[in-house]
Amino acid sequence: LVMRPLCLSLFLIQFVRLSRQQFPRPCTTPEALQSKQCCPVWPGDGSVCGARSGRGFCQDVVVSDLPNGPQYPHSDVDDRERWPLVFYNRTCKCAGNFMGYNCAECKFGYFGVNCAESRESVRKNILHLSGSDRQRFISYINLAKNTISPDYMIATGTYKQMNNGTNPMFAEVSVYDLFVWMHYYVSRDALLGGPNNVWEDVDFAHEAAAFLPWHRVFLLLWEHEIRKLSGDFNFTIPYWDWRDARSCQVCTDELMGARNPLEPNRISPASIFSSWKVICTRPQDYNAREVLCSGEPEGPLLRNPGNHDQSRMSQLPTSADVEFVLGLRDYETDSLDRRSNMSFRNTLEGFASPQTGIAVTGQSTMHNALHIYMNGTMSSVQGSANDPIFLIHHAFIDSIFEQWLRKHQPARTHYPASNAPIGHNDGYYMVPFIPLYQNGDYFLTTKALGYEYSYLLNPSQWFLQEFLTPYLDQAQQIWPWLLGAGVLGALIAAVIGVTLAKTCGLKPKRNKHSGHGERQPLLSSSEEEASTSYQTTL
């Protein structure tokens, strides 16, 4: 009964939005691409970037000219270089608490018509969610998988292939797959011209400093889009605390999907995720054809947790591993990439040992270990976001990043301003987000971004969020049943009482010597029957 209104509302939302948009729809036209301007009108006042209402204004994009590291030796061959200048050199600059490609939305942590309400949201342990919260999470992400994004489209070709903007190549995509495509696009190989002529040693969101800030913004935007889609602005992404786990605790049909007993690489047919189709999982094919992922379905979601290459990763990360990583003082060190030693970022990402902090080859630790452990779609960087476990895994990685920030309280100068691999310097705009976000702006605590993790709360708040609130929520759902059972029990008791009263009142007239002898057995028998019936009903 409780879930019926939710299901109905989700159906109506999906029905409405399927009819009608990572590039803002208004900026995918030949006019926008050739003018290189992405400054859409805010419908609220009919002005560009909501300028009349003081929300923002259209301005030139100024990118950092500080040097990058030597890992990527090319220039002017990839659309992601000096993002977003290949596509746009003017975008909306929002004022105050406003955000969005046309300044129509609120910054992270702010709500209300004028974005004046500040509120902290709490991300909870998925294993401690109430039944309704679990169902809500699954329903929302499945809704996102099956609803066309009303605001964004994905690029299916390079700017050059679009004939420098005169022939736009964009496709519609679901809200969920929009984020799958973004994760693919930021980590894909650079196309240098010609079949299989690519540069593989490039990634604008992994293997260097931006790994943690980029995924922090990625999760915040994903959370933001789910709230817009569902209308539930209290929604938060749950996290999976996998410390010391000996199996995939979330691989159940009530959560992220159990293993298919007949096909171990597939999801159980009892899970909604068994019907999901993946996108952007064939990088070798794209490279051979010199194309981008088009967002077309490419097969089922695959997962076979625990049956991975044991020589690459022997066990899931432990509590001791996490504590060691949190003790590392430097965010980045020496080469500023996957070869860095004693680097918090590199060790947490999984390219260094969580026992020594020394970079390792052929091994996957910490964050990387979970991807390898899942042994399927999740194990390939470019397509890994297809698996919804990606979200709850990265939420926990983000919480470890948050612990480190609170413990060491680093100044922004600890984040590399220059000489990091391309895409990772402090002032670099994150690929492929529009509106624009700079890496260094998200090297800060979640408190400034309006969210918290339940296990990082003080003990009393943690108890309230993790245990008491789910219990009360569960009680709230079943109280109509308890009330109904109580009323029914009262009615039954009343009927039995009236029957006993009548029976006991008549029998002495028939046989005045048998008054007490018949009442007691009848009363005992009725109590036993009523008790059994009540317990069964309850």
Side-chain angles (χ1 to χ4, degrees), residues 406-427:
R406 295 184 190 183
K407 179 175 182 177
H408 298 281
Q409 299 183 358
R412 184 161 172 168
T413 52
H414 281 69
Y415 190 96
S418 62
N419 297 314
I422 187 171
H424 293 264
N425 285 345
D426 179 304

Short mmCIF file of all heavy atoms in Angstrom, two decimals, residues 406-427:
data_model
loop_
_atom_site.label_atom_id
_atom_site.label_comp_id
_atom_site.label_asym_id
_atom_site.label_seq_id
_atom_site.Cartn_x
_atom_site.Cartn_y
_atom_site.Cartn_z
N ARG A 406 39.32 15.60 6.24
CA ARG A 406 39.05 16.05 7.61
C ARG A 406 40.23 15.78 8.53
O ARG A 406 40.51 16.56 9.44
CB ARG A 406 37.79 15.35 8.16
CG ARG A 406 36.53 15.73 7.41
CD ARG A 406 35.29 15.10 8.03
NE ARG A 406 34.13 15.29 7.16
CZ ARG A 406 32.90 14.91 7.47
NH1 ARG A 406 32.67 14.29 8.62
NH2 ARG A 406 31.90 15.11 6.62
N LYS A 407 40.92 14.68 8.28
CA LYS A 407 42.04 14.33 9.14
C LYS A 407 43.24 15.24 8.90
O LYS A 407 43.89 15.69 9.87
CB LYS A 407 42.44 12.87 8.89
CG LYS A 407 43.63 12.40 9.73
CD LYS A 407 43.89 10.92 9.54
CE LYS A 407 45.04 10.44 10.41
NZ LYS A 407 45.27 8.99 10.30
N HIS A 408 43.55 15.55 7.65
CA HIS A 408 44.77 16.29 7.33
C HIS A 408 44.52 17.77 7.03
O HIS A 408 45.47 18.56 7.04
CB HIS A 408 45.48 15.64 6.15
CG HIS A 408 45.91 14.23 6.42
ND1 HIS A 408 47.05 13.93 7.14
CD2 HIS A 408 45.36 13.04 6.10
CE1 HIS A 408 47.19 12.61 7.24
NE2 HIS A 408 46.16 12.04 6.61
N GLN A 409 43.27 18.12 6.74
CA GLN A 409 42.90 19.51 6.47
C GLN A 409 43.91 20.20 5.54
O GLN A 409 44.49 21.24 5.89
CB GLN A 409 42.76 20.28 7.78
CG GLN A 409 41.69 19.70 8.68
CD GLN A 409 41.50 20.51 9.96
OE1 GLN A 409 42.19 21.49 10.21
NE2 GLN A 409 40.55 20.08 10.78
N PRO A 410 44.11 19.66 4.34
CA PRO A 410 45.12 20.23 3.43
C PRO A 410 44.66 21.55 2.83
O PRO A 410 43.48 21.75 2.56
CB PRO A 410 45.25 19.16 2.35
CG PRO A 410 43.88 18.54 2.30
CD PRO A 410 43.41 18.52 3.74
N ALA A 411 45.61 22.43 2.63
CA ALA A 411 45.31 23.66 1.89
C ALA A 411 45.17 23.30 0.41
O ALA A 411 45.64 22.25 -0.04
CB ALA A 411 46.45 24.66 2.08
N ARG A 412 44.53 24.18 -0.34
CA ARG A 412 44.34 23.90 -1.76
C ARG A 412 45.67 23.77 -2.49
O ARG A 412 45.77 23.09 -3.52
CB ARG A 412 43.50 25.01 -2.40
CG ARG A 412 43.16 24.75 -3.87
CD ARG A 412 42.00 25.58 -4.33
NE ARG A 412 41.79 25.47 -5.77
CZ ARG A 412 40.72 25.91 -6.41
NH1 ARG A 412 39.74 26.49 -5.72
NH2 ARG A 412 40.60 25.78 -7.71
N THR A 413 46.71 24.35 -1.94
CA THR A 413 48.04 24.27 -2.56
C THR A 413 48.59 22.84 -2.57
O THR A 413 49.56 22.56 -3.28
CB THR A 413 49.03 25.19 -1.83
OG1 THR A 413 48.99 24.90 -0.43
CG2 THR A 413 48.67 26.65 -2.05
N HIS A 414 47.99 21.95 -1.77
CA HIS A 414 48.41 20.55 -1.80
C HIS A 414 47.97 19.86 -3.10
O HIS A 414 48.49 18.80 -3.44
CB HIS A 414 47.83 19.79 -0.61
CG HIS A 414 48.58 20.02 0.67
ND1 HIS A 414 48.58 21.22 1.32
CD2 HIS A 414 49.36 19.19 1.41
CE1 HIS A 414 49.32 21.13 2.41
NE2 HIS A 414 49.82 19.91 2.49
N TYR A 415 47.00 20.44 -3.77
CA TYR A 415 46.54 19.89 -5.04
C TYR A 415 47.43 20.47 -6.15
O TYR A 415 47.66 21.68 -6.18
CB TYR A 415 45.07 20.26 -5.30
CG TYR A 415 44.48 19.52 -6.47
CD1 TYR A 415 43.75 18.35 -6.28
CD2 TYR A 415 44.69 19.97 -7.77
CE1 TYR A 415 43.23 17.65 -7.36
CE2 TYR A 415 44.17 19.27 -8.86
CZ TYR A 415 43.44 18.11 -8.64
OH TYR A 415 42.95 17.43 -9.71
N PRO A 416 47.94 19.63 -7.07
CA PRO A 416 48.89 20.12 -8.08
C PRO A 416 48.28 21.15 -9.03
O PRO A 416 47.25 20.90 -9.66
CB PRO A 416 49.31 18.86 -8.83
CG PRO A 416 48.25 17.86 -8.54
CD PRO A 416 47.73 18.17 -7.18
N ALA A 417 48.93 22.30 -9.12
CA ALA A 417 48.47 23.37 -10.02
C ALA A 417 49.00 23.17 -11.43
O ALA A 417 48.42 23.67 -12.40
CB ALA A 417 48.90 24.73 -9.49
N SER A 418 50.10 22.44 -11.57
CA SER A 418 50.70 22.24 -12.89
C SER A 418 51.46 20.92 -12.93
O SER A 418 51.69 20.28 -11.89
CB SER A 418 51.66 23.39 -13.22
OG SER A 418 52.73 23.42 -12.28
N ASN A 419 51.83 20.51 -14.14
CA ASN A 419 52.66 19.33 -14.40
C ASN A 419 51.99 17.99 -14.05
O ASN A 419 52.64 16.96 -14.05
CB ASN A 419 54.00 19.44 -13.66
CG ASN A 419 54.82 20.61 -14.16
OD1 ASN A 419 54.93 20.82 -15.37
ND2 ASN A 419 55.36 21.41 -13.24
N ALA A 420 50.70 18.01 -13.75
CA ALA A 420 49.96 16.75 -13.64
C ALA A 420 49.60 16.29 -15.05
O ALA A 420 49.63 17.08 -16.00
CB ALA A 420 48.70 16.96 -12.80
N PRO A 421 49.26 15.01 -15.23
CA PRO A 421 48.82 14.57 -16.57
C PRO A 421 47.67 15.42 -17.07
O PRO A 421 46.89 15.97 -16.29
CB PRO A 421 48.38 13.12 -16.31
CG PRO A 421 49.22 12.68 -15.15
CD PRO A 421 49.34 13.89 -14.27
N ILE A 422 47.54 15.54 -18.37
CA ILE A 422 46.54 16.42 -18.97
C ILE A 422 45.15 16.12 -18.39
O ILE A 422 44.74 14.97 -18.26
CB ILE A 422 46.54 16.29 -20.50
CG1 ILE A 422 45.60 17.34 -21.12
CG2 ILE A 422 46.17 14.88 -20.94
CD1 ILE A 422 45.70 17.44 -22.63
N GLY A 423 44.46 17.18 -18.03
CA GLY A 423 43.13 17.05 -17.45
C GLY A 423 43.11 17.10 -15.94
O GLY A 423 42.03 17.18 -15.34
N HIS A 424 44.29 17.07 -15.30
CA HIS A 424 44.32 16.89 -13.84
C HIS A 424 44.85 18.09 -13.06
O HIS A 424 44.82 18.08 -11.83
CB HIS A 424 45.14 15.64 -13.51
CG HIS A 424 44.50 14.36 -13.96
ND1 HIS A 424 43.73 13.59 -13.13
CD2 HIS A 424 44.49 13.74 -15.17
CE1 HIS A 424 43.28 12.53 -13.79
NE2 HIS A 424 43.74 12.61 -15.04
N ASN A 425 45.35 19.11 -13.72
CA ASN A 425 45.80 20.31 -12.99
C ASN A 425 44.63 20.96 -12.27
O ASN A 425 43.47 20.81 -12.66
CB ASN A 425 46.42 21.32 -13.96
CG ASN A 425 47.81 20.92 -14.41
OD1 ASN A 425 48.44 20.05 -13.83
ND2 ASN A 425 48.29 21.55 -15.47
N ASP A 426 44.94 21.71 -11.24
CA ASP A 426 43.94 22.40 -10.41
C ASP A 426 42.93 23.17 -11.26
O ASP A 426 41.71 23.07 -11.08
CB ASP A 426 44.65 23.35 -9.44
CG ASP A 426 43.70 24.12 -8.55
OD1 ASP A 426 42.80 24.82 -9.07
OD2 ASP A 426 43.84 24.05 -7.32
N GLY A 427 43.41 23.98 -12.20
CA GLY A 427 42.53 24.86 -12.95
C GLY A 427 41.88 24.26 -14.18
O GLY A 427 41.15 24.95 -14.90
#
